[in-house]
């Protein structure tokens, strides 16, 4: 992996604005070697959703509504600490944020159009039900004797 893999697409031609991403690095918990106490490998990526100009207005409103529980003062935060290298954690955090925004800005699903069960199918079901009940009635122990 050399160089950051460039802009992280959210959807269509819209991608994460590099300039608006705020990075913070800190010591990560978890496994590591001798190097672990000196390297800031945990990454915290913050993105000011409320003030961004990079997203279309409609998307922004949608995301603000859907992520309301995750926002702190209009800022969304993503953490990554699973890799030992800060670099890979940065990648992971950025990809995660892009995925989160993609999901939050997706258009609402189309309303479901109610459909009716075709008459033939319903009639067939009732016919089969009746036949089954006849079969079972024929099994009753009344007639033996």
């Amino acid at each position: 992996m050399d160089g950051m893999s460039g802009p992280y697409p959210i959807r269509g031609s819209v991608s994460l604005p590099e300039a608006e991403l705020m990075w913070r690095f800190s010591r990560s918990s978890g496994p590591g070697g001798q190097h672990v106490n000196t390297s800031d490998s945990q990454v915290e990526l913050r993105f000011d959703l409320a003030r961004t100009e990079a997203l279309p207005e409609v998307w922004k409103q949608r995301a603000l509504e859907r992520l309301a529980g995750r926002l702190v003062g209009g800022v969304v935060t993503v953490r990554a600490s699973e890799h030992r290298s800060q670099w890979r954690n940065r990648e992971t955090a950025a990809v995660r944020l892009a995925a989160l925004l993609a999901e939050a800005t997706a258009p609402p699903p189309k309303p479901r159009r109610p459909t009716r069960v075709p008459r033939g199918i319903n009639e067939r079901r009732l016919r089969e039900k009746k036949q089954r009940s006849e079969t079972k009635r024929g099994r009753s122990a009344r007639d033996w004797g």
Side-chain angles (χ1 to χ4, degrees):
M1 267 221 257
D2 49 328
M4 206 125 180
S5 54
Y8 297 93
I10 295 175
R11 210 170 53 252
S13 59
V14 181
S15 50
L16 279 181
E18 291 284 344
E20 295 182 29
L21 301 179
M22 296 167 280
W23 300 93
R24 255 187 48 208
F25 307 103
S26 55
R27 308 259 163 89
S28 184
S29 64
Q34 296 164 328
H35 187 54
V36 73
N37 296 327
T38 54
S39 62
D40 292 344
S41 61
Q42 174 171 295
V43 172
E44 189 179 286
L45 174 57
R46 301 172 60 195
F47 177 63
D48 196 338
L49 190 55
R51 290 209 278 286
T52 185
E53 298 292 312
L55 299 177
E57 197 53 42
V58 189
W59 286 23
K60 195 156 100 174
Q61 289 314 318
R62 222 181 269 155
L64 284 168
E65 273 171 41
R66 290 191 188 160
L67 297 175
R70 282 195 65 154
L71 298 177
V72 180
V75 177
V76 65
T77 307
V78 174
R79 264 200 202 90
S81 60
E82 46 271 20
H83 301 294
R84 280 178 57 179
S85 100
Q86 185 193 95
W87 200 248
R88 282 170 64 195
N89 280 332
R90 282 177 71 148
E91 290 284 309
T92 308
V95 168
R96 221 177 265 169
L97 179 62
L100 186 70
L101 290 175
E103 204 174 301
T105 57
K110 289 197 175 78
R112 181 182 173 278
R113 285 186 29 217
T115 56
R116 288 187 46 207
V117 178
R119 211 172 87 214
I121 288 182
N122 213 6
E123 284 174 358
R124 190 180 78 197
R125 182 179 64 87
L126 293 173
R127 235 191 356 262
E128 285 171 2
K129 220 171 136 123
K130 198 165 267 161
Q131 206 172 353
R132 190 99 188 115
S133 89
E134 286 299 315
T135 307
K136 289 192 169 190
R137 260 204 21 233
R139 288 182 191 153
S140 72
R142 263 200 319 248
D143 321 329
W144 305 26

